[in-house]
Amino acid sequence: MASQVDDILRSVRSSGGRATVARRVILEALVSAPNHLTADELAERVQAKAPEVHTATVYRNLDALKELGIVYQVHLGVRSSYWHLSNDAHQHLVCDACGLVRHVQVAAFDDVATVLATGFDFHADVRHFVVVGRCGSCVGHA
Amino acid sequence: MASQVDDILRSVRSSGGRATVARRVILEALVSAPNHLTADELAERVQAKAPEVHTATVYRNLDALKELGIVYQVHLGVRSSYWHLSNDAHQHLVCDACGLVRHVQVAAFDDVATVLATGFDFHADVRHFVVVGRCGSCVGHA
DNA sequence: CTGCTTGCAAATAGTTTGCACGTTC
DNA sequence: GAACGTGCAAACTATTTGCAAGCAG
């Protein structure tokens, strides 16, 4: 897993970035982390190893690594939400690039809900489906 | 649509709530709103009609109306996110009640992605699928 | 009159930014 | 020695909370 960090640092360098100490510590924490963590949790782990690394640096690094496609960000959405009246159920397509939110009704989501209920004992709220991706006009760009 | 507001106020009252001026204005703004808006946007619309209604009141009302099942909240998640290395793709089941996040691999999501791509020209990022609902142990409770 | 509601101000959480200095290539 | 990255502190955004006063039922 040290080599995994090295591999990543190599590709960071090859795209014009620097292999700094802070970045290495952050990557090490990331590679040895459980399957997911928040930026704050990551900062905590980083600071256990290298107290001088500031939380802002963690955020900046996550952002840079995201640009390079090395990490990805899952929005769990504790904050900033949309509100609807309860009488119309639909799904939301959110464009990652332009922020456009589109409402759709797709039957395939019901299949997913069924699979999750029977196979995983998880009872999805169909009204809350949010799908992140790229809309047609943004799919080309970075 | 005035009657829709009255209907809602009636059901608020029948569950021990009061039909206040602020609440009526908020509901009117909500009923005549476009398909979705943020709490802030709603507060703006409310304050255009009744400037003395405070933003905190809008938040408190949305929360109360959510408890009653009159409105629902879609987390679009601009803030508070989880970070992963890019090399494992999976979906996230988030329990609305206990906050538990579970990782799964469900083929049915690929079907959804295909439908969205062909039918809606929307290119979903399969790694970012987040499904909100109730896990098995929370599905009974309010 | 009882207690749900409100307005206000202040607190919070998570994240971002400006700036000057330090490091890496 | 340029460009990139960092530490620090301060700003920001969306939201929540404590409290005293205000209305609804």
Side-chain angles (χ1 to χ4, degrees), chain A residues 59-77:
Chain A
Y59 278 100
R60 277 189 281 227
N61 269 280
L62 282 174
D63 221 57
L65 293 170
K66 180 170 73 167
E67 293 304 307
L68 293 174
I70 291 164
V71 298
Y72 71 97
Q73 184 178 19
V74 183
H75 299 292
L76 296 183

Side-chain angles (χ1 to χ4, degrees), chain A residues 14-26:
Chain A
S14 77
S15 58
R18 274 90 204 262
T20 63
V21 180
R23 190 159 287 168
R24 164 165 252 116
V25 180
I26 289 168

Side-chain angles (χ1 to χ4, degrees), chain A residues 5-88:
Chain A
V5 171
D6 286 333
D7 283 350
I8 295 172
L9 286 177
R10 208 164 297 133
S11 86
V12 165
R13 210 158 13 202
S14 77
S15 58
R18 274 90 204 262
T20 63
V21 180
R23 190 159 287 168
R24 164 165 252 116
V25 180
I26 289 168
L27 281 169
E28 275 162 4
L30 209 44
V31 166
S32 66
N35 37 26
H36 64 243
L37 26 60
T38 63
D40 263 9
E41 285 164 0
L42 179 58
E44 235 172 276
R45 282 163 165 264
V46 165
Q47 282 153 13
K49 287 278 179 186
E52 75 280 4
V53 174
H54 200 274
T55 306
T57 302
V58 173
Y59 278 100
R60 277 189 281 227
N61 269 280
L62 282 174
D63 221 57
L65 293 170
K66 180 170 73 167
E67 293 304 307
L68 293 174
I70 291 164
V71 298
Y72 71 97
Q73 184 178 19
V74 183
H75 299 292
L76 296 183
V78 177
R79 313 199 142 222
S80 184
S81 31
Y82 273 159
W83 295 85
H84 299 256
L85 287 174
S86 288
N87 48 20
D88 72 313

Side-chain angles (χ1 to χ4, degrees), chain A residues 54-140:
Chain A
H54 200 274
T55 306
T57 302
V58 173
Y59 278 100
R60 277 189 281 227
N61 269 280
L62 282 174
D63 221 57
L65 293 170
K66 180 170 73 167
E67 293 304 307
L68 293 174
I70 291 164
V71 298
Y72 71 97
Q73 184 178 19
V74 183
H75 299 292
L76 296 183
V78 177
R79 313 199 142 222
S80 184
S81 31
Y82 273 159
W83 295 85
H84 299 256
L85 287 174
S86 288
N87 48 20
D88 72 313
H90 52 248
Q91 298 89 37
H92 303 79
L93 309 183
V94 183
C95 178
D96 198 31
C98 68
L100 189 84
V101 179
R102 194 165 150 205
H103 290 187
V104 296
Q105 299 258 19
V106 177
F109 280 102
D110 295 336
D111 299 343
V112 169
T114 305
V115 171
L116 294 178
T118 57
F120 298 89
D121 192 23
F122 184 86
H123 307 275
D125 187 338
V126 185
R127 300 169 311 183
H128 287 79
F129 266 115
V130 175
V131 182
V132 178
R134 289 286 166 102
C135 70
S137 33
C138 290
V139 76

